[in-house]
Amino acid sequence: MAKADASKLDWNNLGFEYMDLPYRYTAHWKDGEWQEGGLTEDSTLHISEASPVLHYGQSAFEGMKAYRTPDNHIQLFRPDQNAARFKRSCERLLMPVFPEDKFVDAVKQVAKANADFVPPYGNGGTLYIRPLIIGTGGVIGVHQAPEYIFTIFAMPVGNYFKGGLTPVNFTTSAYDRAAHKGTGQAKVGGNYAASLLPAENAHENGFADCVYLDPVEHKYIEEVGSANFFGITKDGVFKTPKSPSILPSVTKYSLLWLAKNRLGLGASEERIDVNDLDQFAEAGACGTAAVISPLGGLEHNGKLHVFYSETEVGPVTKKLYDTLTGIQFGTVEAPEGWVQRVE
Ligand SMILES: *Cc1c(COP(=O)(O)O)cnc(C)c1O
């Protein structure tokens, strides 16, 4: 695959596609310790056919973005939160932890080295950054890997959902995403392989993706595809589901805080019954990749429940979006410690 060329990119029409950028950060774990890591131009991994990641899914990842500000700096949004979650994901799969401060430093190195690929301010484009750890080395039994590769690569992206803040419809899935005491809280590879079929079924029926319900009663909302759910109640409370099998979204916790402290809304993490959607005036899905995607309608048991509108974003969702993206791009004052400058 040819290396990407920043001078040939159409910044206004970026999708969400892999690009082979000039630099990535790579570090190897060997003989019980991390070897000195650094930037490399090699985008190909050469690993044993018996690597545990290939057979048993010993892998974890993160998703974050670098933002170009109007005064032409590059900044990260709460990278310490991704470092902390990455640590928890690694611990859950018995993988060595890459030190959190070094994780943030390596992310900055990647953003800086590929600065030409951080889209200009103004069109919503960002540099999507993907930290990844995989278990490698030759073991065929179900064991933790003897070696690991930690890598961080990046690519410029536009809006995840092409329509931007246009509502999309979802349907509930009969499949479970994760068990309460399983790996739902960890950003580990296997969770996403398991989501391909439910997502495909939703697409076939004309929906953007599926909403997962809790794995015990199939009654409470868990996630919207690979994003977290939130709803704005008719009496002004930002509500998001509480469950041990949800991936704790940095975006979601940021919105929860902003709803309360910047928009003056109530804010609550609690179980949300899929049969009690009438309480909401608006609803949306949130995550780093999609930022906020308004939920038009949710189909459950053959009935489509429309939240605010199938064609327009609601006013509170819009305000949350503007506040969050304003902070990320540096045009709205950030809460203490939320943004870190790269250059
Ligand atoms: C990554 C992810 C999210 C969003 O998390 P952010 O930290 O906001 O990017 C939500 N749900 C799932 C299943 C995810 O993998």
Side-chain angles (χ1 to χ4, degrees):
M1 185 170 187
K3 289 275 178 199
D5 179 348
S7 70
K8 297 211 172 91
L9 288 179
D10 178 0
W11 299 114
N12 294 312
N13 287 296
L14 292 171
F16 194 84
E17 304 286 340
Y18 173 70
M19 272 182 222
D20 187 351
L21 297 204
Y23 300 102
R24 67 277 303 122
Y25 179 95
T26 307
H28 292 258
W29 168 275
K30 230 175 151 176
D31 305 323
E33 61 183 3
W34 286 108
Q35 313 292 305
E36 183 71 25
L39 293 172
T40 159
E41 293 182 40
D42 188 359
S43 57
T44 305
L45 302 176
H46 198 77
I47 60 175
S48 165
E49 62 192 358
S51 292
V53 61
L54 300 177
H55 304 259
Y56 310 125
Q58 203 186 14
S59 72
F61 66 98
E62 273 302 324
M64 29 206 315
K65 284 174 170 174
Y67 305 82
R68 174 96 51 194
T69 64
D71 56 356
N72 221 17
H73 291 292
I74 297 171
Q75 61 185 28
L76 300 172
F77 180 72
R78 310 189 77 182
D80 54 312
Q81 299 293 309
N82 297 92
R85 186 172 65 194
F86 192 63
K87 174 175 188 275
R88 296 196 300 270
S89 297
C90 288
E91 286 168 348
R92 178 64 180 81
L93 294 199
L94 218 53
M95 297 191 284
V97 170
F98 195 75
E100 289 169 76
D101 53 340
K102 283 193 159 180
F103 175 101
V104 173
D105 179 63
V107 167
K108 286 179 179 167
Q109 286 186 46
V110 171
K112 198 167 178 172
N114 296 296
D116 289 352
F117 290 88
V118 182
Y121 174 80
N123 59 10
T126 54
L127 185 74
Y128 184 78
I129 300 170
R130 171 53 59 87
L132 170 76
I133 183 171
I134 57 171
T136 59
V139 284
I140 199 64
V142 181
H143 292 294
Q144 68 203 97
E147 295 172 11
Y148 294 84
I149 299 173
F150 171 64
T151 181
I152 306 173
F153 58 91
M155 70 214 82
V157 299
N159 278 335
Y160 188 77
F161 291 108
K162 289 245 155 55
L165 268 186
T166 311
V168 274
N169 288 349
F170 289 79
T171 180
T172 52
S173 178
Y175 289 103
D176 294 335
R177 193 187 83 90
H180 276 173
K181 293 182 180 173
T183 55
Q185 281 189 32
K187 217 167 169 77
V188 300
N191 290 348
Y192 305 85
S195 76
L196 296 175
L197 176 62
E200 179 68 11
N201 289 345
H203 297 156
E204 280 164 5
N205 290 311
F207 296 96
D209 204 335
C210 64
V211 162
Y212 293 99
L213 301 177
D214 77 276
V216 179
E217 296 178 70
H218 267 266
K219 198 173 153 190
Y220 301 103
I221 292 179
E222 295 254 308
E223 300 232 28
V224 188
S226 47
N228 277 186
F229 174 92
F230 70 86
I232 311 296
T233 66
K234 290 174 176 162
D235 51 359
V237 179
F238 178 100
K239 269 193 196 175
T240 184
K242 192 169 180 64
S243 156
S245 40
I246 289 176
L247 192 284
S249 155
V250 176
T251 314
K252 189 263 293 289
Y253 283 112
S254 303
L255 291 174
L256 196 71
W257 192 93
L258 292 171
K260 193 168 166 209
N261 296 286
R262 291 280 171 94
L263 273 65
L265 300 171
S268 166
E269 235 186 321
E270 60 185 72
R271 291 201 298 190
I272 294 174
D273 190 330
V274 70
N275 300 303
D276 185 21
L277 299 178
D278 277 338
Q279 64 174 313
F280 296 116
E282 300 177 32
C286 63
T288 298
V291 191
I292 288 179
S293 182
L295 255 74
L298 174 57
E299 186 206 51
H300 180 59
N301 288 341
K303 265 184 56 193
L304 184 73
H305 174 93
V306 175
F307 293 96
Y308 181 76
S309 152
E310 283 183 84
T311 52
E312 272 171 56
V313 59
V316 180
T317 304
K318 175 79 167 71
K319 203 157 179 199
L320 283 168
Y321 179 87
D322 289 342
T323 307
L324 177 69
T325 54
I327 290 167
Q328 291 170 331
F329 285 101
T331 58
V332 169
E333 195 200 335
E336 176 87 32
W338 277 25
V339 295
Q340 289 191 34
R341 188 162 278 193
V342 172
E343 66 166 37

